[in-house]
């Protein structure tokens, strides 16, 4: 795969691609880091990047160890009766964040938003893979999508980062009862 | 004021008290840092702390350069018809955060929550001076107060930290139209 003078081999290429992806995502953000540029940095063919890691989104999920696959989560929220989208979104969201395998990494990614770069990276990834897709399907104003994101990001801050009671210890059912009607109003159409 | 061997004087005492307050708030959090302990650290009489800086809350506002005085903001939100509390809260909140004199310092304080200590300090201060008072007057479940805080903290994250569009550029009126009914449902009683 065109790396003369160095020992080739799939393991080395796999790792080179991940390292190149991490570097380029950090430097250029999610939108501007192309598979082509990542391949060039890793000195491999772009086809090999796709072969190992799939789409740019899937490569990002692997490279930054994003603990949730938006391609699985988004359909879960969008599917089902529109009249229950508020409840589905809140339950799915809490299910991901309450999961002790995902939570530490998600908190780490949230902390990375304290730099301009980290903020841009997470903003672009979440926009491209979650918000834009939800907006496309639901046909509500884009501002309503961001109001939904704001409510849920705030829950993350109070429940998991600041550990503010009683939000921190509330059961998923209590939170669904309180928050689902809010999200329903934003996304119900 | 009992500091033998050092040049006394009001200027020096004022600064010593602020330095002691910053150190003790950082070490012990807002709840556990007492005026008595701050006075002891600054080698002054507790009465002098009150004389210069008022209550512990007022001392905190000065010491960490908290750019908003909760003693002014809270009555603004609570006063007026209960049926309009959602709109009043959203307008007051956006007025504070959109103010270019307050915003940089507020963002700095928000970033300090990435440490355990910073998170505890801000949580305790905001609980003691804003959330508890609002809860007392409004007689709604405490979880509703934290859901309100979550919605508004999330707006801060998307509008000011992540600069996610269209939330970042939306007018206060657009945000009031979208968010006030949410807050009204949480706090309307």
């Amino acid at each position: 795969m065109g790396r003369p003078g160095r020992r080739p081999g799939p393991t080395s290429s796999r790792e080179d691609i991940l390292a190149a992806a991490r570097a380029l995502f950090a430097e250029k953000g999610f939108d501007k880091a192309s598979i082509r540029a990542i391949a060039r940095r890793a000195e491999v063919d772009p086809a090999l990047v796709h072969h190992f890691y799939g789409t740019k989104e899937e490569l990002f999920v692997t490279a930054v160890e994003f603990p949730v696959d938006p391609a699985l989560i988004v359909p879960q929220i969008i599917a089902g009766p529109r009249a229950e989208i508020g409840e589905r979104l809140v339950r799915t969201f809490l299910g991901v964040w309450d999961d002790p395998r995902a939570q530490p990494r998600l908190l780490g990614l949230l902390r990375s938003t304290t730099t301009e770069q980290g903020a841009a990276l997470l903003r672009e990834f979440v926009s491209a893979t979650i918000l834009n897709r939800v907006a496309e399907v639901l046909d509500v104003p884009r501002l309503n999508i961001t109001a939904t994101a704001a409510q849920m990001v705030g829950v993350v801050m109070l429940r998991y980062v600041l550990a503010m009671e009683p939000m921190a210890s509330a059961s998923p059912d209590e939170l669904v009862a309180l928050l689902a009607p809010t999200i329903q109003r934003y996304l119900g159409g």
Side-chain angles (χ1 to χ4, degrees), chain A residues 17-78:
Chain A
I17 292 167
L18 277 192
R22 284 189 199 106
L24 274 162
F25 283 134
E27 283 167 31
K28 299 193 177 293
F30 180 74
D31 292 344
K32 287 189 189 140
S34 66
I35 290 283
R36 180 183 296 269
I38 290 166
R40 201 180 312 126
R41 176 80 59 104
E43 299 178 28
V44 300
D45 193 275
L48 193 68
V49 178
H50 286 300
H51 173 71
F52 281 152
Y53 294 107
T55 63
K56 182 163 88 168
E57 174 184 331
E58 288 165 332
L59 173 59
F60 180 91
V61 165
T62 306
V64 310
E65 297 172 65
F66 200 80
V68 187
D69 187 348
L72 295 176
I73 291 295
V74 170
Q76 232 172 295
I77 294 166
I78 293 169

Side-chain angles (χ1 to χ4, degrees), chain A residues 21 34 39 46 52-53 66-67 70 79 83 91 108 116 120 127 129 145 148 158 160 173 183:
Chain A
S34 66
F52 281 152
Y53 294 107
F66 200 80
R91 275 204 197 283
E116 198 65 48
S127 290
T129 63
I145 307 278
T148 300
L158 265 74
Y160 306 104
D173 282 344
I183 308 306

